[in-house]
Amino acid sequence: MTDQIISSRGTLHVNDLSRDTGYSSRYMIKAFERHIGASPKLFSRIVRFQHVLELLEMKDYKKTLEQIFELGYFDQNHFIKEFKEFSLTTPRQYVIKGTAGPAER
């Protein structure tokens, strides 16, 4: 299951994972939490965040924002909120601070 989540870059929904594995959602979540220590949803969010960091390291802020739907976010606010939850900073501030390439202003 972890391989499927990682290969989808965190965009695979729990229901799709359940269907693909043949396990019920409830059983799959409990087993995943027991063996991984986190829910499949949280694990997916972490994998997705790591993918976003990779994109910010390679590209600029504006191009990453153009891809937020492909990255599995509903909108720009969802993207920024989740980014701040994991990094305690906004994506734009992350880029400006020099951790990634130059930001477009």
Side-chain angles (χ1 to χ4, degrees):
M1 288 186 272
T2 57
D3 289 341
Q4 287 179 289
I5 293 171
I6 292 168
S7 68
S8 75
R9 295 186 171 131
T11 61
L12 186 65
H13 293 279
V14 173
N15 290 337
D16 295 334
L17 185 59
S18 174
R19 187 186 65 242
D20 291 347
T21 60
Y23 296 120
S24 72
S25 293
R26 187 175 184 154
Y27 173 80
M28 184 193 64
I29 291 169
K30 293 224 182 260
F32 198 95
E33 287 175 342
R34 184 177 48 234
H35 293 285
I36 304 300
S39 70
K41 185 174 181 177
L42 177 58
F43 185 77
S44 293
R45 290 175 62 213
I46 293 168
V47 169
R48 183 171 58 186
F49 175 71
Q50 289 176 328
H51 180 63
V52 167
L53 289 178
E54 289 172 12
L55 289 175
L56 288 174
E57 295 288 330
M58 296 184 319
K59 300 180 180 179
D60 61 38
Y61 176 72
K62 186 176 178 182
K63 287 183 182 179
T64 301
L65 280 183
E66 292 170 359
Q67 296 180 334
I68 59 172
F69 297 114
E70 297 167 22
L71 297 170
Y73 296 98
F74 300 114
D75 56 25
Q76 184 175 349
N77 289 334
H78 177 225
F79 167 68
I80 292 170
K81 181 181 176 185
E82 188 164 290
F83 193 95
K84 283 175 73 174
E85 184 178 340
F86 285 116
S87 68
L88 303 178
T89 188
T90 66
R92 185 169 193 74
Q93 290 169 336
Y94 177 85
V95 171
I96 290 171
K97 286 181 184 176
T99 310
E104 285 191 17
R105 296 174 194 221

